[in-house]
Amino acid sequence: MLYLSILNYNTNFNKKIIYCNFLKIKKNIFFLKIKKKKFKYFLNIKQTIFFFFFLKIWNKIKFKNNLLFLTFIKKEIRSNLDGIFKLYLISKGIIINNVLNLNKIFLKSKNLIWTNIGCFCIKDFLKLNFNIINLIIESIDKIPYLTKYFIPKNVRLSNSNRIRLGAFISEGTTVMSEGYINFNTFIGNNCMIEGRVSAGVYISSNTDIGGSCSIMGTLSGGGNNIISIGNNCLLGANSGIGISLGNNCIIEAGLYITSGTKISLIFKNKKIIIKAKTLSFLNNLIFYRNSINGKVECCKNYSNFDKINKDLHKN
């Protein structure tokens, strides 16, 4: 699948493009039938773009710092711009997370200095005259903040510096100061994020990620299993998960559950011990640690999650 954007760009001192704004995005731009009128052939805009691409001259179309840019969602990251464009597609909700090929995003992307007046290559930044510029360095990173490119609708972001481009945040969600959302993530409606949401994670609606909570992602040895959390779930403060949860599930505060964690539960009137991954995607469960014997246990959740502080969550 092909996506195309008209972008407005800035260059570094060596005239290489390092920053851009995406002005217009189109999907699957392939040529239609050529129109025939008065025995002459005319090309519409889509047909013209196709032939530019077919003749490999699309990357030469420039006009007043505007550029025609194309990417294939199944292809690996080709450049810094390609990586930012794909992350932008996720944040805009044009493509859901874990669909785009983001392989080599860290290999192909470059560290840039992101400031209140734009971004700079590190070498260029050292040549600036700091005495005449009211400059604030916001980050030195390969991936910018979400709000550098896109402002989500009807959300509260206590500290926007902790949300990377490539995160999709639905309406009604609140991200508190210590909440962190990595790229290639999805956050559903009316969630409260006070912990860490790692890359690749999918969170459904009305879910509360407690303070200092951590969700295992697919980077830095996290494996290939994508973690998802259902609707109306609660992860207590300082808890964490490495398995997926269904709807209406609760993790006790301070309890971290990985796929290999031994869980004790009652099944058909017998007490059995299973690995936590066996319970992935099941609904209405509570995970807690027995305060007497220290074992991790699981039981049915009959509580009503609607008892949370709605005034705090209201956006």
Side-chain angles (χ1 to χ4, degrees):
M1 186 182 297
L2 171 71
Y3 278 84
L4 174 142
S5 176
I6 302 296
L7 57 85
N8 181 265
Y9 65 88
N10 294 326
T11 62
N12 62 8
F13 292 169
N14 294 324
K15 302 301 180 181
K16 293 183 178 180
I17 300 175
I18 59 171
Y19 179 81
C20 65
N21 290 312
F22 303 104
L23 306 179
K24 190 69 176 178
I25 296 175
K26 286 291 185 180
K27 174 183 176 182
N28 287 341
I29 311 239
F30 289 102
F31 70 96
L32 305 176
K33 292 182 179 179
I34 297 177
K35 298 178 181 179
K36 184 177 180 181
K37 184 177 180 181
K38 294 183 180 178
F39 306 104
K40 293 183 179 180
Y41 290 94
F42 297 89
L43 299 180
N44 61 27
I45 294 176
K46 289 184 179 181
Q47 295 162 352
T48 303
I49 291 174
F50 172 81
F51 285 116
F52 279 155
F53 179 76
F54 182 76
L55 297 174
K56 297 182 180 180
I57 61 174
W58 55 272
N59 57 348
K60 299 179 182 178
I61 305 171
K62 298 180 181 180
F63 180 70
K64 292 184 178 180
N65 281 25
N66 289 337
L67 174 68
L68 187 64
F69 187 83
L70 300 119
T71 189
F72 290 91
I73 67 173
K74 295 300 182 182
K75 297 290 185 180
E76 292 182 340
I77 300 296
R78 300 173 299 167
S79 64
N80 195 63
L81 282 185
D82 192 36
I84 290 177
F85 182 47
K86 287 184 174 180
L87 295 178
Y88 181 77
L89 292 175
I90 297 173
S91 291
K92 286 281 288 183
I94 297 173
I95 297 179
I96 200 168
N97 68 318
N98 297 313
V99 172
L100 285 164
N101 186 343
L102 298 178
N103 291 341
K104 297 186 178 180
I105 188 169
F106 293 109
L107 181 63
K108 294 295 183 179
S109 299
K110 297 180 180 179
N111 266 333
L112 298 174
I113 297 180
W114 300 87
T115 74
N116 59 317
I117 61 171
C119 70
F120 302 89
C121 288
I122 296 177
K123 291 182 180 180
D124 292 348
F125 186 80
L126 299 176
K127 300 177 183 179
L128 296 177
N129 186 347
F130 299 107
N131 295 323
I132 61 174
I133 299 177
N134 184 16
L135 192 67
I136 299 174
I137 298 177
E138 298 172 337
S139 69
I140 304 175
D141 201 356
K142 297 182 177 183
I143 300 176
Y145 307 146
L146 170 67
T147 51
K148 280 290 184 182
Y149 281 88
F150 177 68
I151 305 297
K153 183 180 179 181
N154 190 27
V155 299
R156 281 196 293 151
L157 309 178
S158 182
N159 186 354
S160 61
N161 294 354
R162 295 180 62 82
I163 306 170
R164 276 175 140 181
L165 183 67
F168 177 81
I169 304 176
S170 303
E171 292 188 34
T173 287
T174 296
V175 184
M176 300 302 290
S177 297
E178 294 305 313
Y180 175 82
I181 305 178
N182 212 338
F183 69 94
N184 196 28
T185 52
F186 178 95
I187 310 297
N189 298 100
N190 306 315
C191 290
M192 172 66 75
I193 308 296
E194 300 180 83
R196 176 186 176 85
V197 181
S198 300
V201 172
Y202 183 101
I203 298 177
S204 299
S205 301
N206 304 306
T207 285
D208 194 322
I209 308 300
S212 299
C213 172
S214 180
I215 304 172
M216 188 179 293
T218 54
L219 300 177
S220 300
N224 297 321
N225 292 328
I226 297 170
I227 303 299
S228 70
I229 300 175
N231 299 309
N232 305 311
C233 290
L234 172 62
L235 274 64
N238 297 302
S239 67
I241 57 169
I243 64 171
S244 293
L245 300 178
N247 300 325
N248 309 307
C249 291
I250 297 176
I251 306 292
E252 181 189 49
L255 177 62
Y256 203 117
I257 297 177
T258 63
S259 61
T261 300
K262 299 298 190 296
I263 305 292
S264 177
L265 74 160
I266 302 297
F267 181 73
K268 293 184 178 180
N269 297 322
K270 292 183 179 180
K271 195 169 186 178
I272 63 173
I273 297 178
I274 61 175
K275 289 186 176 181
K277 65 180 181 181
T278 309
L279 301 174
S280 289
F281 300 106
L282 297 183
N283 300 327
N284 305 306
L285 297 178
I286 298 179
F287 296 87
Y288 60 94
R289 188 178 296 278
N290 189 306
S291 60
I292 297 176
N293 57 33
K295 293 182 179 180
V296 179
E297 299 180 351
C298 177
C299 67
K300 198 74 172 178
N301 176 22
Y302 296 102
S303 63
N304 184 1
F305 193 64
D306 288 337
K307 293 181 180 178
I308 61 173
N309 189 337
K310 291 186 178 181
D311 290 336
L312 177 65
H313 284 239
K314 188 175 180 180
N315 208 319

